Amino acid sequence: MGEVLSETEWTARRDAHAARARRWTGPHHERRAAGLKHPVLDFLFSYYSHRPSRLERWHPGPGVVLEGDAARAYLRWPVYRETGDGVELDVAAFARERANTVDFARRLLTATASRAPRLGCFGLHEWAMVYRQRPDQVRHDAWPLRLGGAGTDAVVESQRVQCGHFDAFRFFTPEARPRNALQPTRETQVELEQPGCLHANMDLFKWSYKLDPATPSELVVDCFELAVRIRGLDMRASPYDLSSLGYRPVRVETPEGRAEYAREQAAFAEEAAPLRARLVELTGVLSRELVPGS
C-alpha cells in the first residue's frame, strides 16, 4: 500500500491547490467577462486545452490512498477505485486507457532529457509567424510590431532561423518555412525536441495534463507556472511591442538582445529539467502497468 492521507490531510492539500490555481484562473475569467485579450496569458488557456476548472481540480497521483467519506467523490471518475483503506487511483486502468499517450510522452520526454540544450534560435519563431503578413493578418494585431512590417521582415531575412519545434514551426507563414534550417514534422518530433527550446519546456504543462488525473496536481501547476514565465520571455523576444502591458522587450535583433535571450533560455532549461524528470518518472510508473507480470 502506498501513502495514506487522512481526510484532514488531503482536503487541506486539495484546498491549497485550488487556491494556488485560482491565482491564474480568476484573472483569466475576469478578462474573458470583460472581453479583454491578453497576448501573453491567453496562450496558457487557448493554445493549451486544459480548462481552468480542471487546473483547479486536485488529484493525488498514483500510490496515494484518500481516507474518509469525502474521498468517495473521486469515484465519479472511472479510473478511481475504493479499497478497504480508502479511495485511490486505479493505476493499471488509467495506464490501459491512455497507453498511446503514456508511450509517446515517455519516449519524447526521455529523448529530450538526454540532449544538451541548444540556445541559438533567439526566439525567431514568433518573427517567422508574421513574416510578410499584411497588418490585418497578424495574429496579435491589437499590439504594434516594434519595428513595423518591413523591419520585422528584415530581421527574418538577416538572421539564421533554426526552429526545431514542430508546434511552433507549423505556424510559420508559407514564405518563412523555407528559411528555417530545419523542417520539423510530427514524425520527427522525438528526434528533434531539445531542452533549450522554450516551447518544449512550456509543453511540460501539456504533458502533465495529458496524463491527468494520474499526474499529481501540484506537478501540473508547477509546470503551468513555469510555462507562464517562459511565455513571458517568448513574447518579450517577439516582434510585438507589449510595453503597455509591462513586458520589457528583449531585442533579439541586436547582439545584446540575443545574449540576454540565450541567458534566460538557459536558465529556463535548467529549471525545466527536474519537472521533466518527474514526468519521466510518472510515465515509467504507468508504463510498468502495461508490461505483463511487472
Side-chain angles (χ1 to χ4, degrees):
M1 186 174 65
E3 181 182 13
V4 178
L5 296 179
S6 70
E7 187 167 323
T8 299
E9 290 173 319
W10 71 259
T11 54
R13 281 181 57 180
R14 178 198 64 191
D15 295 346
H17 166 79
R20 183 183 174 195
R22 286 181 187 128
R23 288 181 51 221
W24 303 103
T25 59
H28 173 70
H29 289 310
E30 291 170 7
R31 287 192 301 271
R32 288 195 64 183
L36 299 176
K37 292 184 178 181
H38 197 294
V40 178
L41 299 177
D42 287 351
F43 181 81
L44 281 303
F45 296 101
S46 57
Y47 173 78
Y48 292 114
S49 60
H50 203 48
R51 295 190 303 275
S53 60
R54 292 190 64 178
L55 186 66
E56 295 171 7
R57 188 181 299 157
W58 182 77
H59 292 283
V64 180
V65 177
L66 307 180
E67 292 185 327
D69 290 341
R72 292 192 176 91
Y74 281 86
L75 298 174
R76 75 185 76 171
W77 294 290
V79 292
Y80 279 89
R81 65 184 179 188
E82 188 166 17
T83 71
D85 300 297
V87 174
E88 65 180 1
L89 182 76
D90 186 337
V91 181
F94 177 90
R96 289 192 300 269
E97 181 181 294
R98 306 280 185 89
N100 291 339
T101 301
V102 170
D103 176 67
F104 183 78
R106 181 167 173 77
R107 289 189 293 112
L108 178 66
L109 295 168
T110 302
T112 304
S114 73
R115 300 182 179 117
R118 296 195 300 273
L119 308 174
C121 70
F122 306 123
L124 291 174
H125 54 276
E126 286 288 341
W127 299 70
M129 292 178 192
V130 298
Y131 180 63
R132 294 193 177 179
Q133 285 192 327
R134 300 188 311 270
D136 63 298
Q137 294 176 309
V138 173
R139 178 174 303 151
H140 302 295
D141 58 359
W143 285 269
L145 298 175
R146 287 192 295 105
L147 305 181
T152 299
D153 293 349
V155 170
V156 175
E157 291 165 0
S158 66
Q159 302 290 329
R160 186 168 186 261
V161 184
Q162 43 188 341
C163 176
H165 193 274
F166 172 69
D167 284 313
F169 177 71
R170 66 190 176 98
F171 291 106
F172 281 28
T173 65
E175 295 84 359
R177 286 176 191 156
R179 292 184 169 276
N180 198 36
L182 300 167
Q183 298 293 302
T185 64
R186 184 66 71 202
E187 290 70 31
T188 60
Q189 187 173 5
V190 174
E191 298 170 33
L192 294 178
E193 203 107 314
Q194 56 90 16
C197 173
L198 293 193
H199 279 263
N201 292 329
M202 281 192 283
D203 278 355
L204 295 178
F205 171 52
K206 176 174 72 175
W207 295 114
S208 74
Y209 72 70
K210 289 283 188 183
L211 298 172
D212 175 80
T215 312
S217 293
E218 291 90 349
L219 177 55
V220 177
V221 180
D222 286 346
C223 293
F224 176 86
E225 290 184 342
L226 175 64
V228 169
R229 288 183 288 109
I230 294 176
R231 176 63 175 172
L233 174 60
D234 195 32
M235 293 303 287
R236 287 170 54 223
S238 78
Y240 298 100
D241 183 355
L242 303 179
S243 55
S244 64
L245 295 174
Y247 292 92
R248 178 185 58 80
V250 176
R251 302 181 186 278
V252 295
E253 68 273 17
T254 69
E256 296 79 10
R258 289 193 290 275
E260 180 183 0
Y261 182 89
R263 285 194 301 272
E264 294 199 38
Q265 188 181 21
F268 280 131
E270 185 174 347
E271 189 175 350
L275 298 182
R276 183 174 285 109
R278 289 164 66 187
L279 289 171
V280 168
E281 182 181 6
L282 173 64
T283 61
V285 169
L286 297 174
S287 295
R288 286 193 289 275
E289 294 293 336
L290 299 171
V291 179
S294 62

